Amino acid sequence: MSEVAAGIAKPSAWQVYIPASLRRAALAVLLALACTGLLIMFSGKDPLLAYRAMLTGAFGSFDRIAVGFNKATPYILTGLGIALCFRAKIINIGGEGQIAIGGLCASWVGIMLPLGNPVLAIGSALLASILGGMAWAGLAAAIHIGRRVHEVLVTLLLNFVALLIVGAALHGSLGEDGAGFPQSPLLPADYWLPKLLKGTQLHYGILIAVVIAGLSHIFLWHTRYGFGLRVFGSSRPAARYAGFSPAASTFTVMLLAGALAGLAGGIEVLGIHYRLIEGFSHGFGFNAVAIALLGALNPLAVVPAGLFFGFLETGALAMQRQVGVPSSLVTVIQGLTMLFVLAAMASANRKPKS
């Protein structure tokens, strides 16, 4: 074999392997930005100027970066749970309701149990949010398994029930008297999540989310239960043959997802609002589905996907203020990103005809 032929056959030392899922995600983001840029141009605005304003609004100062990290935190946590469910072929779209119940439970503890120790106070409130999210997801799993109702229908409808429960609580015992908007009284300062960097709004939630992403990766790829979930998602008969119970697998992954979404709700209440506000969970659960798909159902890849959505929303108002492009256009970018990711996944999974 000649040296030239050998050189062609041998990969270059500078070549870097990029997973197909990462290539699909990057292509989906670029296509979404390109399509949205065309919409901006057709509206008579400069898309390059709009995107520059968005970048400035998201990364122009430490305060803006802190806001982006805070916005990304509930996306990452909820996206992790949904990614685990999707790995097991359990279509959980109940993140929004689980976030709402988690925030409700954390607020109830903060209002009803005035603890003087900040560590004990925050720990008990976050634990209550985890248990609340688990209970709500467990209810969905019980209905799905016991009554054989499809999990999409159950989790979707329970979102509305959860929002109604939060609204009823804020119009009842947890509501603040005389407030012009349904909200709870301000929680005691002992329950406020401390700041990660002094002088900014960045709280410890993002650090918690990143650590949990690493633990989720270990759980999925290096534990027996994670292996069982992956087998369960690949082949139900194979999972049964290997000794994994379908009911137990469904309950396990739904409880994990509910715990993560509930924790996201608790962190949102304790770290951002310092009180329970009606509708605070709106949009988090459904965007987390797109984040899980953008991250190719990989716990570690969910982190940058969540950051992308968080900083995208952070820069939206700057784009509207400086260029006059509606901030709601960010929703178009998010929707197109999800659409292109799904299209790429469908194309990759399509089997060639024999």
Side-chain angles (χ1 to χ4, degrees), residues 229-295:
L229 291 181
R230 288 185 284 121
V231 173
F232 182 66
S234 299
S235 172
R236 301 293 173 90
R240 293 189 184 94
Y241 182 79
F244 296 107
S245 167
S249 298
T250 301
F251 261 111
T252 298
V253 74
M254 284 293 290
L255 290 177
L256 284 174
L260 293 174
L263 177 61
I267 289 176
E268 187 71 7
V269 168
L270 303 183
I272 301 295
H273 306 294
Y274 309 124
R275 66 172 83 222
L276 183 65
I277 300 175
E278 188 175 41
F280 82 96
S281 64
H282 178 69
F284 282 133
F286 293 109
N287 284 342
V289 174
I291 289 167
L293 294 174
L294 184 61

Side-chain angles (χ1 to χ4, degrees), residues 43-70:
S43 68
K45 306 294 183 181
D46 186 350
L48 295 180
L49 186 61
Y51 285 148
R52 187 174 70 177
M54 181 185 292
L55 286 174
T56 303
F59 301 100
S61 66
F62 285 113
D63 288 335
R64 302 313 300 164
I65 294 174
V67 171
F69 278 127
N70 288 343

Side-chain angles (χ1 to χ4, degrees), residues 2-353:
S2 66
E3 293 183 3
V4 175
I8 294 175
K10 185 178 179 180
S12 170
W14 296 100
Q15 289 180 341
V16 178
Y17 172 71
I18 301 177
S21 58
L22 181 58
R23 295 198 300 270
R24 290 196 298 266
L27 180 61
V29 171
L30 291 176
L31 289 174
L33 292 175
C35 291
T36 309
L38 290 176
L39 294 176
I40 296 174
M41 185 174 62
F42 290 151
S43 68
K45 306 294 183 181
D46 186 350
L48 295 180
L49 186 61
Y51 285 148
R52 187 174 70 177
M54 181 185 292
L55 286 174
T56 303
F59 301 100
S61 66
F62 285 113
D63 288 335
R64 302 313 300 164
I65 294 174
V67 171
F69 278 127
N70 288 343
K71 283 184 174 292
T73 298
Y75 284 147
I76 293 172
L77 289 171
T78 312
L80 287 171
I82 292 176
L84 293 176
C85 284
F86 282 12
R87 280 281 182 179
K89 292 295 190 297
I90 301 296
I91 312 302
N92 171 24
I93 56 174
E96 189 162 318
Q98 294 152 21
I99 292 173
I101 296 298
L104 173 63
C105 292
S107 302
W108 185 89
V109 170
I111 293 172
M112 299 300 178
L113 299 176
L115 302 173
N117 188 316
V119 175
L120 183 59
I122 294 172
S124 60
L126 292 182
L127 177 60
S129 69
I130 291 172
L131 294 177
M134 289 179 67
W136 203 248
L139 175 62
I143 296 174
H144 166 60
I145 295 172
R147 306 301 299 176
R148 298 186 181 276
V149 182
H150 199 283
E151 69 270 17
V152 171
L153 182 62
V154 176
T155 52
L156 176 63
L157 294 181
L158 283 180
N159 284 334
F160 299 104
V161 177
L163 296 179
L164 290 173
I165 291 175
V166 171
L170 292 178
H171 285 89
S173 59
L174 288 185
E176 182 180 23
D177 295 333
F181 187 82
Q183 62 184 22
S184 71
L186 199 66
L187 299 179
D190 292 336
Y191 283 91
W192 297 5
L193 209 60
K195 305 304 178 186
L196 187 59
L197 293 176
K198 292 183 178 180
T200 71
Q201 294 299 313
L202 182 62
H203 55 65
Y204 273 87
I206 186 62
L207 184 61
I208 295 173
V210 171
V211 170
I212 290 179
L215 295 176
S216 299
H217 176 81
I218 294 173
F219 168 80
L220 184 62
W221 296 104
H222 299 284
T223 67
R224 178 182 180 275
Y225 293 104
F227 174 74
L229 291 181
R230 288 185 284 121
V231 173
F232 182 66
S234 299
S235 172
R236 301 293 173 90
R240 293 189 184 94
Y241 182 79
F244 296 107
S245 167
S249 298
T250 301
F251 261 111
T252 298
V253 74
M254 284 293 290
L255 290 177
L256 284 174
L260 293 174
L263 177 61
I267 289 176
E268 187 71 7
V269 168
L270 303 183
I272 301 295
H273 306 294
Y274 309 124
R275 66 172 83 222
L276 183 65
I277 300 175
E278 188 175 41
F280 82 96
S281 64
H282 178 69
F284 282 133
F286 293 109
N287 284 342
V289 174
I291 289 167
L293 294 174
L294 184 61
L297 309 184
N298 186 328
L300 296 182
V302 166
V303 175
L307 291 173
F308 170 70
F309 270 58
F311 281 102
L312 196 65
E313 294 183 1
T314 303
L317 292 178
M319 182 177 64
Q320 176 174 300
R321 184 174 58 253
Q322 297 178 23
V323 186
V325 176
S327 60
S328 58
L329 205 64
V330 167
T331 306
V332 176
I333 299 176
Q334 295 171 342
L336 287 174
T337 300
M338 184 174 183
L339 179 64
F340 287 128
V341 167
L342 290 173
M345 291 174 63
S347 177
N349 294 332
R350 184 181 302 161
K351 295 182 180 179
K353 295 181 179 180

